[in-house]
């Protein structure tokens, strides 16, 4: 059994792809031993491609207002308990200035789907100002689904990257996780546009989302293999108390680490963060993520005063800390496992 699983991991390492049945076999049959086998190989691939350097991205969560109602998400429109906030352009810019001092050379502007207040033109202006202040930096957007012309405008203003998790490659599962008015096809179309427009594009899924099966995860891997995103964001599903999924089981920490390793073996140069959700499910989850093949960490640059309000799931870490505390904490955490934070844009190569 374990030889069979190790054989599939070896095959993935050399061929960078597997058949659907083989992915399912991996997800159904892995053990601690085979997961560690994959982690060791994945870590080796990361070391070959990136050395012991970890890229950092500073996330500015500039608005938690969202018109969508994803069933899993704590900032969904129907959550009347969420205290909504919006940062001004000046506040966003000053988060980036502060981040620059701490060695960040990528800024991620993230929000709920809040286009009425932040139409593409406003974002484009903010992006242009960030690039003007810090020409050596990359700007990543993570604003949800948008139309082609809007994505184009922001790209032309200098945005380099865009994160839009596909959430699941299975349409029927997508429909269980999202309200009827959200469309699986539109999300996939957006991802295609992002690539066409020359954004370094990030896709990804939650691990252990409600109703997710090994088959669904296998389809996610096949999708990622075909789409070849420059980045993959993936972390465990964690319930939020004010959502319809409040009583659902959280995702598996071990499976998340295993998926990270498999992503690294499938797409050796992909930018792969050890996510905040992974650090939330286990105190040293992000370190273990790095040791399983991740090469990016994305700490928060939002003002401490609003951090608690950007609660996608319960228990989110770093909501009491300041940007400089997170930065120092991460350096220390990486050093402890033999890694170093790199001060550079950390583009996809
Ligand atoms: N648990 C884990 N991840 C979540 N996200 C949203 N809600 C949750 C949750 N409850 C993820 C989604 C989204 C990203 C910004 O955060 O995958 O794309
Ligand atoms: Fe905002 Fe999910 S509730 S994107």
């Amino acid at each position: 059994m374990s030889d069979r699983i190790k054989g599939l991991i070896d095959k993935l390492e050399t061929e960078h792809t597997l058949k659907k049945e083989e992915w399912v076999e991996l997800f159904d049959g892995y053990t601690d031993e085979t997961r560690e086998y994959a982690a060791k190989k994945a870590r080796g691939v990361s070391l070959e491609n990136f050395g012991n350097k970890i890229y950092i991205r500073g996330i500015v969560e500039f608005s938690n207002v969202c018109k969508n109602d994803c069933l899993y998400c704590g900032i969904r429109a129907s959550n009347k308990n969420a205290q909504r906030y919006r940062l001004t352009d000046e506040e966003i810019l000053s988060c980036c200035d502060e981040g620059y001092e701490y060695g960040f050379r990528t800024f991620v502007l993230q929000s709920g789907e809040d286009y009425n207040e932040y139409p593409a033109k406003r974002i484009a202006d903010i992006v242009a100002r960030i690039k003007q202040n810090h020409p050596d930096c990359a700007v990543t957007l993570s604003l949800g689904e948008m139309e082609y012309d809007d994505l184009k405008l922001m790209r032309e203003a200098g945005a380099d990257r865009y994160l839009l998790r596909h959430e699941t490659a299975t349409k029927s599962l997508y429909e269980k996780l999202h309200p009827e008015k959200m469309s699986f096809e539109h999300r996939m179309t957006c991802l295609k546009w992002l690539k066409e427009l020359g954004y370094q594009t990030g896709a990804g899924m939650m691990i252990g989302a409600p109703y997710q099966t090994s088959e669904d995860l296998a389809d996610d891997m096949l999708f990622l293999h075909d789409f070849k995103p420059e980045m993959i964001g993936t972390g465990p599903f964690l319930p939020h108390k004010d959502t319809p999924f409040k009583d659902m089981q959280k995702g598996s920490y071990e499976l998340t680490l295993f998926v990270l390793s498999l992503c690294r073996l499938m797409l050796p140069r992909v930018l792969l963060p050890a996510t905040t959700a992974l650090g939330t499910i286990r105190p040293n989850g992000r370190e273990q993520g790095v040791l399983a093949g991740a090469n990016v960490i994305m700490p928060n640059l939002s003002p401490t005063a609003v951090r608690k309000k950007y609660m996608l799931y319960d228990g989110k870490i770093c909501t009491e800390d300041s940007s400089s505390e997170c930065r120092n904490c991460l350096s220390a955490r990486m050093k402890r496992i033999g890694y170093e934070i790199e001060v550079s844009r950390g583009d996809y190569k």
Side-chain angles (χ1 to χ4, degrees):
M1 178 65 180
S2 122
D3 284 348
R4 169 72 187 158
I5 299 292
K6 286 182 183 169
L8 290 173
I9 293 167
D10 293 344
K11 180 175 173 192
L12 178 64
E13 185 188 26
T14 50
E15 297 178 19
H16 306 295
T17 181
L18 292 176
K19 296 200 201 65
K20 176 153 180 188
E21 318 81 82
E22 296 174 323
W23 285 116
V24 172
E25 237 187 297
L26 278 182
F27 296 129
D28 286 343
Y30 78 98
T31 55
D32 283 345
E33 188 205 344
T34 47
R35 175 172 60 77
E36 275 155 25
Y37 181 81
K40 199 164 167 204
K41 281 187 183 276
R43 177 155 82 241
V45 173
S46 287
L47 285 169
E48 264 167 45
N49 285 289
F50 311 104
N52 71 334
K53 299 288 192 286
I54 298 298
Y55 298 142
I56 50 171
R57 321 323 194 167
I59 309 190
V60 183
E61 299 156 335
F62 65 84
S63 161
N64 70 348
V65 179
C66 190
K67 73 172 173 57
N68 275 340
D69 224 8
C70 307
L71 277 76
Y72 45 82
C73 183
I75 64 168
R76 63 199 303 267
S78 307
N79 180 7
K80 300 296 176 246
N81 292 330
Q83 291 176 40
R84 306 292 169 170
Y85 73 89
R86 291 177 168 128
L87 299 188
T88 64
D89 297 15
E90 301 307 321
E91 286 172 320
I92 297 170
L93 291 166
S94 80
C95 290
C96 297
D97 293 343
E98 192 187 354
Y100 191 88
E101 298 298 314
Y102 304 145
F104 289 94
R105 296 296 178 267
T106 292
F107 304 114
V108 182
L109 305 186
Q110 187 170 78
S111 67
E113 295 202 357
D114 192 13
Y115 314 122
N116 285 336
E117 274 302 309
Y118 301 89
K121 178 72 178 74
R122 179 169 175 193
I123 300 289
D125 289 343
I126 297 170
V127 170
R129 288 178 67 190
I130 296 173
K131 300 288 274 201
Q132 200 168 32
N133 296 344
H134 306 292
D136 53 338
C137 291
V139 176
T140 304
L141 301 175
S142 177
L143 315 172
E145 293 171 45
M146 292 179 87
E147 294 311 309
Y148 183 86
D149 290 342
D150 292 334
L151 295 171
K152 183 160 182 274
L153 187 76
M154 299 184 297
R155 175 83 184 113
E156 285 165 359
D160 304 276
R161 311 187 188 130
Y162 203 106
L163 305 176
L164 181 69
R165 291 191 182 179
H166 66 289
E167 308 298 358
T168 167
T170 318
K171 182 173 151 73
S172 57
L173 177 59
Y174 188 89
E175 289 169 354
K176 289 188 189 131
L177 302 178
H178 301 94
E180 227 170 88
K181 63 173 194 279
M182 287 179 73
S183 142
F184 175 73
E185 285 78 14
H186 190 260
R187 199 165 190 89
M188 288 299 185
T189 303
C190 278
L191 280 165
K192 198 188 78 192
W193 287 339
L194 289 167
K195 274 231 159 163
E196 270 173 35
L197 287 164
Y199 282 98
Q200 293 173 47
T201 303
M205 62 284 181
M206 291 180 290
I207 307 304
Y211 315 112
Q212 184 186 63
T213 63
S214 298
E215 301 247 321
D216 295 320
L217 271 183
D219 283 333
D220 286 323
M221 298 309 285
L222 294 173
F223 166 74
L224 292 170
H225 179 265
D226 281 353
F227 185 68
K228 296 195 177 20
E230 282 80 14
M231 301 160 298
I232 298 177
T234 187
F237 161 72
L238 295 167
H240 184 290
K241 62 181 175 22
D242 299 317
T243 63
F245 288 167
K246 64 178 188 302
D247 297 321
M248 296 291 191
Q249 244 192 25
K250 65 183 175 198
S252 152
Y253 165 68
E254 288 79 10
L255 181 55
T256 305
L257 293 177
F258 190 46
V259 170
L260 286 174
S261 299
L262 300 176
C263 287
R264 171 61 64 219
L265 294 173
M266 180 170 75
L267 297 168
R269 286 172 302 130
V270 78
L271 299 164
L272 189 64
T275 58
T276 305
L278 185 59
T280 298
I281 199 170
R282 246 345 118 79
N284 66 344
R286 288 173 299 177
E287 290 89 321
Q288 293 306 313
V290 166
L291 295 172
N295 74 315
V296 174
I297 301 220
M298 303 174 67
N300 206 311
L301 276 183
S302 312
T304 315
V306 302
R307 287 188 183 198
K308 271 204 164 61
K309 300 179 183 165
Y310 205 88
M311 278 288 176
L312 307 186
Y313 43 80
D314 293 334
K316 188 175 168 207
I317 54 169
C318 306
T319 56
E320 308 268 0
D321 305 280
S322 69
S323 300
S324 73
E325 282 166 338
C326 285
R327 175 64 176 80
N328 293 334
C329 165
L330 280 179
S331 290
R333 284 171 182 269
M334 291 303 112
K335 202 167 162 199
R336 248 177 270 147
I337 56 167
Y339 286 75
E340 264 173 43
I341 284 173
E342 177 166 314
V343 176
S344 78
R345 284 172 47 125
D347 284 295
Y348 182 80
K349 291 187 190 94

